[in-house]
Amino acid sequence: MYTGTNRPPAWGSGGHSTGTTDCAWCPITFHARAVDGVTGLPERSSWERRAGHALTHTGTEPSVLLLLDLDRFRAVNDAHGRAAGDVVLAALAGRLREAVGATGIVGRCTAGTCDEFLVLLPATSLEAGLATARTIRARLGTTEVTVRSASGHPVVVEGVTASIGVGVCLDGDLHEPLRQADVALLRAKHAGRDRIALPSWV
């Protein structure tokens, strides 16, 4: 997915941080306040800065943006409590980081929703981005997480699915691919969830 000098140094597991993290694409330091406390992922504003810097290094190569929504995740919180839901979210975030590799930039949409994640795959073709999206769906769907329910009993949460909208970055700007991915995500959800939807122009 990377060619020539576009390939950045690995910065580890999609950018997970428990403290201060240096973005591999730029010399800017991101502090813990920009990290979601549940998943360890960058929050939306921090993710946008990292993704924006990454796009300045991709040259003329396209990049792929994925917007994920965990399907009906509120049912997990309703059945087992929010603390159990947070444990599941953290586990799923880990599988997401594994699926995208060390150079994928993963973030959590914490404003207004607890179930959505952002992924930028810099210098990546649409075909390769779709392959990664399929890997994400497969890994999330097979993840089993043991939690303690609100009643105190151990419970296994499994089979969490995700709807994924795809956007393509062509000019270094995040606005249009975010719009594409958002519209595509709505189509994926309206079509029955647990699926991947492409931009309308593809």
Side-chain angles (χ1 to χ4, degrees):
M1 289 188 284
Y2 296 89
T3 60
T5 59
N6 284 334
R7 185 178 180 90
W11 53 285
S13 300
H16 176 236
S17 171
T18 56
T20 300
T21 300
D22 293 323
C23 177
W25 293 94
C26 65
I28 293 178
T29 298
F30 298 92
H31 297 285
R33 65 178 177 271
V35 175
D36 170 49
V38 173
T39 63
L41 296 175
E43 294 184 348
R44 174 70 177 258
S45 60
S46 179
W47 177 89
E48 287 186 352
R49 283 181 288 167
R50 297 185 188 199
H53 284 296
L55 290 178
T56 66
H57 293 274
T58 59
T60 59
E61 293 188 77
S63 299
V64 172
L65 190 150
L66 306 176
L67 181 59
L68 293 82
D69 182 37
L70 301 180
D71 297 324
R72 300 184 177 91
F73 190 78
R74 182 176 177 178
V76 176
N77 289 333
D78 290 345
H80 308 300
R82 185 169 297 275
D86 286 350
V87 172
V88 177
L89 280 174
L92 294 176
R95 299 307 299 273
L96 179 56
R97 290 193 300 266
E98 293 170 3
V100 305
T103 48
I105 301 174
V106 186
R108 183 182 179 197
C109 295
T110 50
T113 179
C114 67
D115 310 334
E116 289 188 357
F117 297 88
L118 296 145
V119 176
L120 180 71
L121 303 170
T124 300
S125 68
L126 180 57
E127 181 180 2
L130 279 174
T132 298
R134 296 186 189 104
T135 298
I136 289 170
R137 283 186 62 234
R139 293 202 180 190
L140 295 185
T142 57
T143 297
E144 298 182 355
V145 186
T146 300
V147 300
R148 192 162 294 279
S149 70
S151 61
H153 300 293
V155 176
V156 176
V157 177
E158 59 185 336
V160 177
T161 62
S163 301
I164 303 176
V166 180
V168 179
C169 308
L170 297 175
D171 59 4
D173 179 40
L174 282 172
H175 178 76
E176 176 58 18
L178 279 168
R179 186 197 67 80
Q180 293 174 12
D182 190 44
V183 173
L185 175 60
L186 287 175
R187 289 205 310 274
K189 292 166 70 174
H190 291 161
R193 297 181 172 86
D194 190 21
R195 63 194 65 211
I196 301 164
L198 294 170
S200 57
W201 53 264
V202 175

